[in-house]
Amino acid sequence: MTKVGVLASGRGSNLGALLEQQRLGALGGEVVVVLTNRPDAPVVEVASKYDVPLCTIADPRGQTDASVLLKGHGVELVVLAGYDRILASEFVREWEGRMINIHPSLLPAFGGGLHAVRDALAYGVKATGCTVHFVTEDVDAGPIISQAAVPVLPDDDEARLAKRIREKEHQLLPEAVRAYAEGRLTVVGRRVVIEGSA
Ligand code: GRF
């Protein structure tokens, strides 16, 4: 079982999706610790509901305590599931190839910011979606593992569109963790080859 550490700052719905798949025996990994920089965020309740240890990190960029905590729990894969801070270069380098992120747009469109859904709506795109990618020092620019498209509907507002994107995220992220845990991901330059996928 691949030991997974999750960094999250907000609602925690992606953490919930991971833990639900774990409960069903379908994650291929085990979430052993959740790290948050926001101890008041709803994600804290999600961790507690599933009895996963949660630690608040004092340094949200991961320069001091985050790696120590992750290593202390034996973490092999780090998942950024709605983590709202840019991590320090040293942290990213240390976990490179072993850290993935979920982003609410079809990268490289609308990367680099905190309002990808709002930005996609404002731009007037007809489709957006979500992306799971390896984390590199260039924000939202690492090799793409998987993407799912979501159409923008004429009466969409940010909340409605974000909700439909989240529903896709809840499938995409656990699938990516499972593929990683099963050793089916190979990075070849910018491309990620997923063994067993069409
Ligand atoms: C998701 O939309 C994810 O793509 C982005 O932050 C949001 C987190 O949502 N990085 P939640 O906290 O998992 O509900």
Side-chain angles (χ1 to χ4, degrees):
M1 275 287 181
T2 298
K3 291 188 175 177
V4 178
V6 175
L7 269 67
S9 311
R11 177 193 309 254
S13 70
N14 279 286
L15 173 66
L18 292 171
L19 292 170
E20 199 46 35
Q21 289 304 306
Q22 179 179 317
R23 193 180 66 81
L24 298 170
L27 189 63
E30 182 193 357
V31 179
V32 292
V33 67
V34 176
L35 267 47
T36 189
N37 57 330
R38 302 201 184 273
D40 298 332
V43 69
V44 172
E45 285 302 310
V46 178
S48 133
K49 178 179 162 196
Y50 287 88
D51 277 330
V52 182
L54 176 126
C55 305
T56 300
I57 44 176
D59 166 22
R61 298 196 64 228
Q63 278 158 310
T64 52
D65 49 349
S67 259
V68 174
L69 286 164
L70 292 168
K71 285 187 272 190
H73 283 84
V75 166
E76 300 164 283
L77 172 69
V78 177
V79 177
L80 306 183
Y83 193 65
D84 66 1
R85 293 296 300 268
I86 293 178
L87 292 156
S89 298
E90 309 89 84
F91 183 90
V92 174
R93 278 200 298 271
E94 182 170 7
W95 292 93
E96 196 160 335
R98 301 180 293 148
M99 178 157 61
I100 66 175
N101 178 46
I102 177 102
H103 184 81
S105 74
L106 292 174
L107 291 172
F110 310 112
L114 281 176
H115 304 290
V117 179
R118 189 183 307 168
D119 295 347
L121 260 183
Y123 198 91
V125 293
K126 300 297 185 196
T128 181
C130 49
T131 302
V132 181
H133 64 93
F134 281 105
V135 177
T136 58
E137 282 188 69
D138 293 332
V139 175
D140 294 334
I144 289 171
I145 298 167
S146 52
Q147 293 187 301
V150 174
V152 179
L153 304 179
D155 61 346
D156 265 343
D157 59 16
E158 188 179 348
R160 272 196 291 267
L161 180 55
K163 182 167 181 286
R164 293 207 311 285
I165 292 173
R166 270 201 305 278
E167 284 164 11
K168 290 281 187 193
E169 291 182 344
H170 298 165
Q171 299 166 11
L172 213 61
L173 187 59
E175 277 169 18
V177 169
R178 183 178 182 140
Y180 183 96
E182 292 174 349
R184 291 192 286 114
L185 301 184
T186 310
V187 181
V188 185
R190 273 214 54 83
R191 299 189 60 200
V192 180
V193 179
I194 309 181
E195 197 185 305
S197 89

